[in-house]
């Protein structure tokens, strides 16, 4: 039994090539602006610097960091370049123990205190409180503390959608939605290299970096990523069913690894989505938030995305009453129409000839009270 578990564990891990390590180095050393609200200055942050400082200060505060990992679309970008979309959030996971409420508060204080290091010269840091920094630079602050999930998230603002997301995880039930976003790249060897190495990174001299697929089979997940295939396991476990991400993959020309299997999985996705978001207002807020965070600079793709979402909901929703389903479809149609309006893609009405159909009684001689002209009336009449 132990040998089987060890073999399964080895299948999920792989060592990165030099080309992948080189891309990882570019991601970690790139300057990312963290935009301040109001008059607060923009912070120029390199991911390697803020991660190293947060980790060091957590250790000094008594919180042991087991390892640090790059997660999500950025990890996918490192492993396979040019797969149809640019990476968005810089998602970093710190694996820690969170047994008490005090650890959550300490982590928040450490991150906010670290932001002081990145303020430009000349700023009087003594008058800036943690609450002020939170209001100025934190876009999202999340804390989850249940029996099965214990983690927190601090997302630093970026006006171009490339937020620096620092996630501190003790336990989490589900760490991926699809095989192509299941990768985590362990950063500890890179951080050690930046701290200790005296020579620039090269093909002949660079750290050994490992990646892990939470999907379970690294080679298979990487093959899915390279060939733009969609695969998942137990979508009913994913909050929202993975429905919105699934449609995002479809609009970027990914396709199901198994068309037959995904016909059934689409029903699971829709069912879980409507269980988690039963109210039409919740559905609208969820879809709008997804569009805002995942389509920055890709306005023209929003309409196609909403049309794909509408098709999947229309074809695969079996858990709603008829009027509820029509209500959701109507909502998605209105959102798509609004996207076109925002892009000025709706034709000028003065250039359009619209038609209406005469009422049935016009041809019915029983309605003698209505005047009917002697001319032949076409089936459709022009409005003008």
């Amino acid at each position: 039994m132990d040998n089987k578990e060890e073999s399964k564990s080895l299948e999920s891990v792989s060592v990165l090539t030099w080309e992948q390590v080189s891309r990882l180095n570019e991601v970690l050393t790139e300057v990312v602006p963290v935009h301040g609200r109001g008059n607060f200055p923009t912070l120029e942050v390199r991911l390697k610097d803020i991660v190293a400082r947060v980790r060091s200060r957590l250790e000094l505060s008594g919180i042991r960091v087991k390892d640090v990992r790059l997660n999500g679309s950025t990890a996918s970008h490192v492993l396979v370049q040019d797969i149809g979309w640019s990476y968005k959030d810089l998602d970093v996971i710190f694996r820690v123990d969170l047994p008490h409420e005090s650890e959550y508060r300490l982590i928040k204080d450490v991150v906010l205190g670290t932001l002081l290091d990145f303020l430009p010269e000349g700023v009087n840091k003594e008058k800036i409180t943690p609450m002020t920094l939170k209001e100025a630079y934190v876009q999202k602050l999340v804390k989850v503390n249940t029996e099965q999930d214990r983690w927190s998230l601090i997302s630093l603002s970026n006006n171009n959608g490339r937020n620096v997301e620092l996630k501190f995880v003790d336990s989490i039930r589900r760490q991926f939605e699809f095989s192509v976003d299941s990768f985590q790249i362990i950063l500890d060897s890179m951080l050690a290299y930046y701290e200790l190495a005296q020579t620039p990174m090269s093909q002949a001299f660079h750290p050994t970096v490992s990646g892990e697929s939470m999907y379970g089979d690294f080679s298979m997940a990487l093959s899915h990523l390279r060939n733009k295939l969609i695969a998942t396991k137990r979508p009913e476990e994913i909050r929202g069913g993975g429905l919105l991400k699934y449609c995002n993959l479809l609009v970027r020309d990914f396709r199901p690894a198994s068309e037959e299997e995904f016909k059934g999985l689409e029903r699971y996705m829709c069912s879980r989505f409507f269980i988690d978001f039963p109210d039409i207002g919740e559905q609208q807020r969820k879809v709008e938030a997804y569009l805002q965070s995942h389509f920055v600079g890709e306005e023209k793709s929003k309409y196609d995305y909403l049309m794909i979402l509408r098709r999947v909901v229309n074809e695969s929703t079996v858990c709603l009453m008829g009027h509820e389903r029509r209500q959701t479809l109507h909502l998605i149609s209105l959102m798509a129409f609004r996207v076109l309006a925002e892009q000025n893609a709706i034709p000028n009405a003065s250039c359009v000839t619209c038609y209406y159909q005469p009422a049935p009684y016009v041809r019915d001689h029983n309605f003698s009270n209505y005047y009917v002209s002697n001319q032949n009336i076409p089936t459709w009449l022009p409005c003008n």
Side-chain angles (χ1 to χ4, degrees):
M1 185 69 177
D2 291 341
N3 290 335
K4 288 183 179 179
E5 289 181 359
E6 184 178 349
S7 174
K8 186 177 180 181
S9 177
L10 290 173
E11 287 179 0
S12 68
V13 178
S14 179
V15 175
L16 273 61
T17 65
W18 157 243
E19 182 183 358
Q20 293 166 335
V21 172
S22 179
R23 273 199 299 273
L24 177 60
N25 181 51
E26 291 174 5
V27 169
L28 295 176
T29 56
E30 178 189 12
V31 174
V32 180
V34 175
H35 296 108
R37 295 184 180 88
N39 295 324
F40 280 86
T42 297
L43 309 182
E44 303 291 337
V45 173
R46 286 182 174 84
L47 198 59
K48 73 178 185 68
D49 295 332
I50 191 168
V51 168
R53 295 185 192 192
V54 168
R55 183 180 67 168
S56 175
R57 291 182 180 183
L58 287 175
E59 297 273 5
L60 290 172
S61 300
I63 296 180
R64 186 175 74 87
V65 179
K66 300 170 186 176
D67 59 37
V68 184
R69 299 173 175 231
L70 187 67
N71 186 51
S73 62
T74 314
S76 298
H77 162 78
V78 167
L79 295 172
V80 179
Q81 197 173 23
D82 299 326
I83 52 175
W85 82 86
S86 59
Y87 60 94
K88 301 297 183 185
D89 294 336
L90 296 164
D91 189 356
V92 178
I93 294 175
F94 296 78
R95 293 207 305 145
V96 296
D97 290 325
L98 298 171
H100 309 107
E101 178 69 24
S102 58
E103 280 78 15
Y104 288 90
R105 290 195 299 269
L106 184 56
I107 285 171
K108 183 179 73 172
D109 292 342
V110 164
V111 173
L112 294 177
T114 303
L115 293 182
L116 285 172
D117 296 347
F118 296 94
L119 286 169
E121 292 184 9
V123 175
N124 188 348
K125 300 178 183 180
E126 294 179 0
K127 294 185 178 181
I128 299 179
T129 66
M131 182 59 68
T132 302
L133 289 167
K134 173 180 172 293
E135 294 300 322
Y137 295 108
V138 175
Q139 184 178 68
K140 185 165 53 176
L141 191 61
V142 179
K143 182 183 74 172
V144 177
N145 189 3
T146 66
E147 288 185 6
Q148 294 179 303
D149 294 301
R150 290 194 301 278
W151 56 271
S152 69
L153 168 70
I154 300 175
S155 178
L156 306 179
S157 300
N158 178 278
N159 295 342
N160 300 317
R162 188 162 291 183
N163 297 345
V164 176
E165 300 215 326
L166 307 177
K167 184 180 285 187
F168 304 87
V169 176
D170 183 327
S171 61
I172 189 167
R173 278 176 296 177
R174 180 84 180 204
Q175 299 191 60
F176 73 97
E177 292 183 270
F178 298 91
S179 61
V180 295
D181 66 359
S182 68
F183 299 103
Q184 295 182 359
I185 297 173
I186 303 167
L187 300 180
D188 296 67
S189 61
M190 292 289 285
L191 297 174
Y193 184 92
Y194 293 133
E195 184 179 357
L196 302 173
Q198 301 296 319
T199 58
M201 205 174 292
S202 67
Q203 184 170 1
F205 188 69
H206 64 271
T208 300
V209 182
S210 295
E212 182 176 4
S213 170
M214 312 315 290
Y215 180 73
D217 187 325
F218 190 98
S219 297
M220 182 178 291
L222 190 62
S223 175
H224 292 163
L225 184 61
R226 285 176 173 149
N227 295 292
K228 303 182 78 169
L229 298 176
I230 307 172
T232 190
K233 297 176 180 177
R234 303 178 300 279
E236 66 276 9
E237 294 179 356
I238 307 170
R239 178 163 172 79
L243 175 64
L244 301 185
K245 178 63 178 283
Y246 173 63
C247 295
N248 193 358
L249 292 173
L250 290 176
V251 82
R252 300 179 193 283
D253 298 325
F254 282 69
R255 65 188 189 280
S258 169
E259 294 282 355
E260 184 177 346
E261 179 186 8
F262 261 81
K263 285 300 178 185
L265 290 179
E266 283 181 5
R267 289 194 287 272
Y268 280 119
M269 293 180 200
C270 291
S271 296
R272 179 63 198 260
F273 181 82
F274 291 115
I275 289 171
D276 291 333
F277 310 105
D279 179 72
I280 191 71
E282 289 181 290
Q283 295 165 21
Q284 180 174 354
R285 286 189 293 273
K286 185 65 178 177
V287 175
E288 287 178 343
Y290 193 90
L291 289 172
Q292 184 177 0
S293 61
H294 290 82
F295 288 87
V296 176
E298 300 178 275
E299 303 302 317
K300 292 183 179 180
S301 297
K302 288 183 178 180
Y303 176 80
D304 295 333
Y305 172 81
L306 289 167
M307 288 295 94
I308 289 174
L309 176 62
R310 191 187 188 284
R311 175 184 62 77
V312 173
V313 170
N314 185 45
E315 294 177 359
S316 301
T317 299
V318 294
C319 62
L320 296 181
M321 301 289 287
H323 72 281
E324 292 174 326
R325 181 169 160 277
R326 287 191 296 272
Q327 190 179 38
T328 298
L329 293 173
H330 180 63
L331 167 67
I332 299 171
S333 298
L334 286 178
M335 294 176 72
F337 187 81
R338 188 177 67 190
V339 164
L340 289 180
E342 290 172 351
Q343 298 170 10
N344 293 321
I346 298 176
N348 188 331
S350 63
C351 303
V352 176
T353 300
C354 60
Y355 292 84
Y356 71 92
Q357 191 171 21
Y361 52 70
V362 171
R363 292 183 179 276
D364 192 337
H365 296 290
N366 292 327
F367 289 90
S368 56
N369 292 334
Y370 291 88
Y371 170 76
V372 181
S373 66
N374 293 324
Q375 62 181 349
N376 291 327
I377 301 175
T379 304
W380 291 90
L381 298 178
C383 296
N384 52 1

